[in-house]
Amino acid sequence: MAKRILLTGASTGIGNATLRRLVTDGHEVVSLDIKDAPEGASEHHHCDMSDPASIDEVVAGIDGSFDGLGNIAGVAGSMGAELVLRVNVYGLRHLTEALLAAGKLNDGGSIVNIASLAAMVWHRHRDRIAELDAAADFAAGIEVAQAYERGGPAAYVLSKEWVASYTKHLAGRLIEPGIRVNSVSPGPVNTPLFPYFEQDAGAEQMAWLNERVGRVGLPEDQAEVVTWLLAGECGWVNGIDLPVDNGLSAGMTVGWANPKDSPASRSRKS
């Protein structure tokens, strides 16, 4: 059955690959992006995910409701801590909560958020995540973002840890209307943001990660799973963070991709 899906970040990268796959499968996709409209979208809304006024304008201007929301837009750490937290945390939250409040996400629908392999130990940092959650609205979130002192790359990791946590909490909140909420955690992916991640983590470190699993990931690798969670037959899959990394997180857990052997670890030891 054809579904109506709202995608952020649909003009490039994982978002665009997801859009193309959804359209090929016969679904209707409405895109939100700060960039130009992507081919294949039934309609496009220019949206700055760092600006609550832009988000509110889009939510007010969209007609109808949706069977799925793909929160795919995001920025990298080298773009600055304030922008990272505004987009990856407070923009994602503001859009999601605004759509829910407006009744624009259908009962029985699905929300998919993009987290990251960088967030795999999010549960160790619940105190930091709670500090982000303490900002009751976007204005308070901007104050948190502007005061963040640990730098852009650290803000990126924290933002994705927050996504993993928010996903699980929201899944519980939405049990009654039957709206499933899951997150996908990619490893390195060859999108337009990849050079920024190389800048943040180091090109040698990124190459080491890719060598462990044979190649860099592609947007299409992520789109397969995001599409399944948004529109596929997976009605009892809820509240999970699913690594989509060709086993990299498994290797880091059990040792065949031992982080202690990585260039980043060796650099710290020296």
Side-chain angles (χ1 to χ4, degrees), residues 1-3 5 7 15-29 39-42 220 223 227 231:
M1 182 163 94
K3 298 186 177 182
I5 308 294
L7 286 183
N16 187 254
T18 301
L19 180 152
R20 289 185 278 109
R21 192 173 187 91
L22 285 166
V23 170
T24 297
D25 290 347
H27 303 294
E28 177 188 354
V29 179
E39 182 178 352
S42 64
E220 291 75 13
T227 298

Side-chain angles (χ1 to χ4, degrees), residues 67-152:
D67 303 301
L69 167 64
N71 283 313
I72 301 178
V75 297
S78 55
M79 296 178 178
E82 180 180 345
L83 185 62
V84 165
L85 295 178
R86 287 176 72 131
V87 173
N88 294 7
V89 175
Y90 298 113
L92 185 157
R93 185 182 72 175
H94 192 76
L95 174 66
T96 304
E97 299 293 342
L99 290 167
L100 289 167
K104 294 190 175 184
L105 291 177
N106 297 330
D107 290 0
S110 174
I111 298 172
V112 179
N113 303 317
I114 299 296
S116 171
L117 181 62
M120 63 186 297
V121 294
W122 68 270
H123 52 281
R124 298 180 186 175
H125 304 134
R126 296 176 191 267
D127 54 340
R128 299 177 189 171
I129 293 167
E131 291 174 1
L132 299 184
D133 282 328
D137 55 25
F138 208 121
I142 291 172
E143 293 180 5
V144 172
Q146 291 175 338
Y148 190 81
E149 297 179 344
R150 296 182 61 223

